[in-house]
Amino acid sequence: MATLQDTAAWLGRSRWIETRLYEVMGGWVPSTANPEVKALLAAQCYHHAWHAEVWEGLFPTGYGMDLDEATSATSPELVSLFHHLAGCVEPEARLAALYRAVLPRKIAAYRTWRSRANPVTDGALVRWLQLVLVDEVDDWQAGEFALQQVLMSPEAVKRATSAQSEVETSLIVGGGLYAGLPNL
């Protein structure tokens, strides 16, 4: 069973990840030429900002834990991963890295978190995880659809595959999005 400190660590890390996704995706919008992809990124980046607010609202601030301290990557590999993600230029690289590597892993982590949460003591968290998961899965599917629309040449497929592989490798080497946190 997760302790309050464990939950606080997960909430902080989730807030950090969601904030970074908001920043990365929002940063891609101005340089994205494809209008459908631009609109998708613009809309979905705000979902991540909202999720960060949700995790902040659930943080147990009155128990001697510091939200700003908990809201961290805690590993240089995770910081590097998000710098790499932000540096993706081609739309197929951006979409593949995000929708075939980062979001599926985040969804898996959220599902695991939800399945291990105590429905009695973590009732509010379980409800919010369910709502956030609906957003995440919908966004993931929309992102995969957008990726399919830009994969129109063998070169585009190579760029997408390379970007996905680089991000997957970074995630594995760095221990994942939730490396260093207690298992819930």
Side-chain angles (χ1 to χ4, degrees):
M1 178 181 264
T3 67
L4 190 59
Q5 290 80 10
D6 296 343
T7 300
W10 272 74
L11 287 166
R13 177 69 58 81
S14 296
R15 180 177 178 239
W16 187 89
I17 291 167
E18 296 289 4
T19 300
R20 296 294 85 70
L21 285 172
Y22 163 71
E23 293 168 349
V24 167
M25 293 170 73
W28 287 343
V29 171
S31 62
T32 300
N34 180 305
E36 290 84 13
V37 174
K38 182 185 287 267
L40 176 82
L41 294 171
Q44 288 188 8
C45 78
Y46 287 106
H47 296 172
H48 297 291
W50 177 68
H51 299 163
E53 289 178 10
V54 167
W55 303 141
E56 178 180 350
L58 289 170
F59 192 83
T61 54
Y63 297 90
M65 288 171 259
D66 183 77
L67 175 64
D68 291 330
E69 184 179 310
T71 303
S72 67
T74 68
S75 78
E77 293 86 5
L78 196 52
V79 172
S80 178
L81 168 78
F82 277 87
H83 283 299
H84 173 76
L85 194 61
C88 290
V89 176
E90 298 91 0
E92 58 274 8
R94 289 173 172 176
L95 296 173
L98 182 62
Y99 296 107
R100 289 190 175 169
V102 176
L103 255 60
R105 288 180 178 273
K106 186 163 60 94
I107 289 167
Y110 284 177
R111 284 183 172 159
T112 299
W113 190 9
R114 183 191 61 195
S115 73
R116 294 183 181 165
N118 183 318
V120 175
T121 58
D122 298 323
L125 174 61
V126 170
R127 285 189 298 280
W128 279 111
L129 276 165
Q130 186 59 38
L131 288 170
V132 167
L133 275 165
V134 169
D135 270 359
E136 295 288 349
V137 171
D138 287 349
D139 288 355
W140 177 29
Q141 291 173 343
E144 177 62 30
F145 180 78
L147 175 59
Q148 295 297 321
Q149 303 309 305
V150 299
L151 291 177
M152 301 311 259
S153 69
E155 294 78 22
V157 171
K158 286 178 186 171
R159 287 189 295 272
T161 304
S162 176
Q164 179 186 351
S165 176
E166 288 174 24
V167 170
E168 289 282 6
T169 300
S170 290
L171 284 163
I172 296 300
V173 168
L177 293 171
Y178 291 89
L181 294 187
N183 290 325
L184 294 175

